[in-house]
């Protein structure tokens, strides 16, 4: 997804993805708060959730009471909080879950997916080898009781319940940035179509935010012009406005980077991504006259030509800097740090190939500077199956992120749920370690998909690169710094 051939300490804002609550609270907590008042209490009152009673055709018990759990009183609040970032009309999910009639046919599948942890999509897990230092913000995972409620609802035939008794719904997740300062859009359309076996194209768009003086950004929203082909977007600051010379504001086939050598990464987006919002008191500078570069990964549909003419950004900024400045370091392959096993090479047929990298926090950070990690992301391609990032320091090891069920189709960064001055602190000399595991066999569905896209039917050796048949082992670590400017 990204390319870096030189040491990078880059500005960043956080990337959100499907399955989050948009109200600034944990989606699970919002759902629990909405269902507690009307939740079944159990006992001997004939509640089918606790006694196994069978509902009548009308969705009521023999005593005339509504069957529980039902859509209006129990399931709808959970779906609103944890599913409706993606499962809305026109969303990236294959079906909408906005109404009872839309949800009922999928009741059994919903129950199975939430039980297996497939939905809501969330891949940062607590494991035997990873206990993160803080909880993650906007964690949409359901409790065991909530998962059981989905199963009970499906087993009962997905009763609707009485709309007059509907539980209050939490605020639906929003994909729009609150109170944007400005919005900007690409100047020239881009046409995308399959070329031979190639479906992936990287084009860079240069946008002018129009700020005559320095501003300090704390919110970004990517506006995907054509969701059919916009696979992901990386956002860079071009401080010297060098990209203004690109004809029509587009540099075609610019690779996985910014298309120029001195741009700074400030964020990224994948389909379903929510606005990127920095923690309170944290911002990143956008110099006067600077331009913004969008590296857009276009993925052709294979069904004919498509055009993107409306991709752009919504931005929110202030005229004064925040107390903390945010930076982003890309560690591993192809970021900074050293490989512990030589060049990345994954032989065909290996089921549990491991690559490891180490990055030492530089000693140019003064002892009085306060450096806090506030967001972390993992990145591999389709051969990857498991990735972990941790810090080795004088006081012991701290695991930042573990994604043991890696899924290329559900990428996001994970922000810690804590004020910036209480987030995890790093110091000069600390060692950041990465461990990536790959399965380059046909037992890996990602490999099967990758080979099909390339027109192949058997695994091949995979090395470092940006294309379909390449891999990466890359961690993005977002830090905020107080008392020191890099």
């Amino acid at each position: 997804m990204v390319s870096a051939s030189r040491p990078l300490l880059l500005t960043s804002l956080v990337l959100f993805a499907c399955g989050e609550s948009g109200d600034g609270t944990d989606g699970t907590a919002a759902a629990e708060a909405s269902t507690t008042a009307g939740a079944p209490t159990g006992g001997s009152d004939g509640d089918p959730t606790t006694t196994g009673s069978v509902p009548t055709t009308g969705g009521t018990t023999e005593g005339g009471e509504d069957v529980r759990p039902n859509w209006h009183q129990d399931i709808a609040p959970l779906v609103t909080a944890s599913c409706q970032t993606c499962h809305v009309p026109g969303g990236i999910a294959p079906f909408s879950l906005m109404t009872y009639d839309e949800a009922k046919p999928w009741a059994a599948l919903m129950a199975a997916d939430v039980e297996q942890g497939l939905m809501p999509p969330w891949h940062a897990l607590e494991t035997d080898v990873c206990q993160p230092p803080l909880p993650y913000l906007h964690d949409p995972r359901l409790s065991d009781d909530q998962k059981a409620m989905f199963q009970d609802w499906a087993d009962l035939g997905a009763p609707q319940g009485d709309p007059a008794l509907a539980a209050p719904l939490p605020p639906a997740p929003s994909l729009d940035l609150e109170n944007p300062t400005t919005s900007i859009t690409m100047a020239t359309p881009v046409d995308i179509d399959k070329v031979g076996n190639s479906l992936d194209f990287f084009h860079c768009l240069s946008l002018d935010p129009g700020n005559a003086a320095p501003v300090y950004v704390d919110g970004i929203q990517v506006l995907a012009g054509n969701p059919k082909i916009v696979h992901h977007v990386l956002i860079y600051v071009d401080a010297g406005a060098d990209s203004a010379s690109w004809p029509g504001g587009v540099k075609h086939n610019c690779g996985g980077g910014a298309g120029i050598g001195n741009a700074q990464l400030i964020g990224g987006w994948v389909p379903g991504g929510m606005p990127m919002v920095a923690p309170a008191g944290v911002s990143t500078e956008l110099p006067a006259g600077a331009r913004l570069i969008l590296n857009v990964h276009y993925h052709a549909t294979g069904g004919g030509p498509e055009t993107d003419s409306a991709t752009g950004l919504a931005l929110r900024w202030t005229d004064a800097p925040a107390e903390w400045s945010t930076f982003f370091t890309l560690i591993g392959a192809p970021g900074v740090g050293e490989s512990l096993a030589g060049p990345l090479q994954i032989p065909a047929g290996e089921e549990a190939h491991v690559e490891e990298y180490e990055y030492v926090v530089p000693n140019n950070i003064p002892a009085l500077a306060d450096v806090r990690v506030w967001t972390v992301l993992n990145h591999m391609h389709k051969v990857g199956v498991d990735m972990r990032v941790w810090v080795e320091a004088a006081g012991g090891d701290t695991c930042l992120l573990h994604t043991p069920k890696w899924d290329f189709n559900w990428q996001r960064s994970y922000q810690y749920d804590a004020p910036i001055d209480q987030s995890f602190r790093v110091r000069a000399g600390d060692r950041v370690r990465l461990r990536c595991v790959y399965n380059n066999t046909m037992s890996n569905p990602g490999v099967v998909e990758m080979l099909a896209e390339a027109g192949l039917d058997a695994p091949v050796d995979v090395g470092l690169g940006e294309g379909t048949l390449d891999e990466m082992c890359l961690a993005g670590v977002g830090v905020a710094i107080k008392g020191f400017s890099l």
Side-chain angles (χ1 to χ4, degrees), residues 80 85 112 125 136 185 245 269 294 325 351 371 403 467 473:
T80 300
T85 301
L125 304 181
Y136 297 111
T185 305
S245 63
W269 174 89
L294 304 186
S325 297
E351 196 170 30
V371 183
T403 49
C473 177

Side-chain angles (χ1 to χ4, degrees), residues 107-168:
L109 178 62
M110 292 163 66
D113 280 358
V114 299
E115 174 60 30
Q116 297 176 58
L118 299 176
M119 290 288 157
W122 181 268
H123 294 88
L125 304 181
E126 297 80 18
T127 65
D128 291 342
V129 293
C130 185
Q131 295 295 318
L134 294 161
Y136 297 111
L137 188 66
H138 302 296
D139 185 341
R141 287 177 290 180
L142 302 173
S143 69
D144 290 342
D145 287 346
Q146 290 168 337
K147 293 178 181 179
M149 189 179 294
F150 273 95
Q151 187 62 60
D152 291 341
W153 182 60
D155 291 344
L156 289 166
Q160 181 177 10
D162 185 352
L165 300 176

Side-chain angles (χ1 to χ4, degrees), residues 170-182:
S174 174
L175 297 182
D176 294 327
L177 178 67
E178 185 177 355
N179 299 321
T181 306
T182 189

Side-chain angles (χ1 to χ4, degrees), residues 331 357-361 389-391 430-434 477:
I331 302 172
Y357 294 84
E358 179 178 272
Y359 169 70
V360 180
V361 178
V389 184
W390 70 98
V391 176
D430 289 353
R431 297 177 180 272
V432 183
R433 292 285 304 275
L434 279 62
V477 180

Side-chain angles (χ1 to χ4, degrees), residues 315-389:
L315 302 168
R316 187 179 66 209
W317 66 54
T318 62
D319 296 331
E323 188 176 17
W324 298 72
S325 297
T326 183
F327 299 88
F328 193 60
T329 303
L330 302 175
I331 302 172
V336 298
E338 299 294 330
S339 170
L340 302 182
L344 190 151
Q345 188 69 25
I346 307 164
E350 284 207 11
E351 196 170 30
H353 180 82
V354 176
E355 297 280 346
E356 293 188 299
Y357 294 84
E358 179 178 272
Y359 169 70
V360 180
V361 178
N363 59 11
N364 65 332
I365 300 176
L368 295 179
D370 198 349
V371 183
R372 305 281 178 159
V373 176
W374 63 273
T375 187
V376 186
L377 65 89
N378 286 345
H379 178 68
M380 299 184 289
H381 292 175
K382 295 182 180 181
V383 186
V385 293
D386 184 336
M387 183 172 175
R388 178 163 52 101
V389 184

Side-chain angles (χ1 to χ4, degrees), residues 103-452:
K104 182 181 179 180
W106 302 102
L109 178 62
M110 292 163 66
D113 280 358
V114 299
E115 174 60 30
Q116 297 176 58
L118 299 176
M119 290 288 157
W122 181 268
H123 294 88
L125 304 181
E126 297 80 18
T127 65
D128 291 342
V129 293
C130 185
Q131 295 295 318
L134 294 161
Y136 297 111
L137 188 66
H138 302 296
D139 185 341
R141 287 177 290 180
L142 302 173
S143 69
D144 290 342
D145 287 346
Q146 290 168 337
K147 293 178 181 179
M149 189 179 294
F150 273 95
Q151 187 62 60
D152 291 341
W153 182 60
D155 291 344
L156 289 166
Q160 181 177 10
D162 185 352
L165 300 176
L169 297 178
S174 174
L175 297 182
D176 294 327
L177 178 67
E178 185 177 355
N179 299 321
T181 306
T182 189
S183 295
I184 47 179
T185 305
M186 62 193 297
T188 304
V190 172
D191 295 321
I192 298 295
D193 196 4
K194 183 176 181 180
V195 178
N197 289 327
S198 180
L199 295 170
D200 296 290
F201 305 90
F202 296 84
H203 301 315
C204 291
L205 315 178
S206 177
L207 308 178
D208 181 6
N211 58 305
V215 294
Y216 300 88
V217 179
D218 66 4
I220 299 178
Q221 175 190 355
V222 171
L223 309 171
N226 185 343
K228 293 181 181 179
I229 56 174
V230 178
H231 184 280
H232 76 254
V233 178
L234 297 175
I235 310 161
Y236 294 84
V237 171
D238 174 13
D242 297 337
S243 61
S245 63
W246 295 349
V250 179
K251 185 173 184 178
H252 295 273
N253 302 313
C254 61
I260 59 174
N262 58 351
Q264 291 187 321
L265 181 70
I266 65 168
W269 174 89
V270 291
M274 297 179 72
M276 296 163 277
V277 180
V282 178
S283 67
T284 185
E285 181 179 359
L286 183 60
R291 295 181 75 89
L292 290 163
I293 296 173
L294 304 186
N295 178 285
V296 185
H297 175 184
Y298 290 104
H299 188 79
T301 65
E306 292 280 351
T307 298
D308 180 21
S309 60
T311 290
L313 294 173
L315 302 168
R316 187 179 66 209
W317 66 54
T318 62
D319 296 331
E323 188 176 17
W324 298 72
S325 297
T326 183
F327 299 88
F328 193 60
T329 303
L330 302 175
I331 302 172
V336 298
E338 299 294 330
S339 170
L340 302 182
L344 190 151
Q345 188 69 25
I346 307 164
E350 284 207 11
E351 196 170 30
H353 180 82
V354 176
E355 297 280 346
E356 293 188 299
Y357 294 84
E358 179 178 272
Y359 169 70
V360 180
V361 178
N363 59 11
N364 65 332
I365 300 176
L368 295 179
D370 198 349
V371 183
R372 305 281 178 159
V373 176
W374 63 273
T375 187
V376 186
L377 65 89
N378 286 345
H379 178 68
M380 299 184 289
H381 292 175
K382 295 182 180 181
V383 186
V385 293
D386 184 336
M387 183 172 175
R388 178 163 52 101
V389 184
W390 70 98
V391 176
E392 296 179 350
D397 296 354
T398 301
C399 184
L400 300 180
L401 177 65
H402 191 192
T403 49
K405 298 180 180 180
W406 170 257
D407 186 342
F408 179 80
N409 296 307
W410 291 107
Q411 300 185 53
R412 55 157 298 148
S413 72
Y414 296 89
Q415 180 178 349
Y416 295 123
D417 188 6
I420 193 60
D421 61 357
Q422 297 177 26
S423 200
F424 177 71
R425 186 172 185 177
V426 293
R427 294 174 171 82
D430 289 353
R431 297 177 180 272
V432 183
R433 292 285 304 275
L434 279 62
R435 184 177 190 270
C436 295
V437 183
Y438 305 89
N439 178 354
N440 195 6
T441 74
M442 298 299 282
S443 67
N444 180 353
V447 169
V448 175
E449 180 181 340
M450 172 188 79
L451 295 173

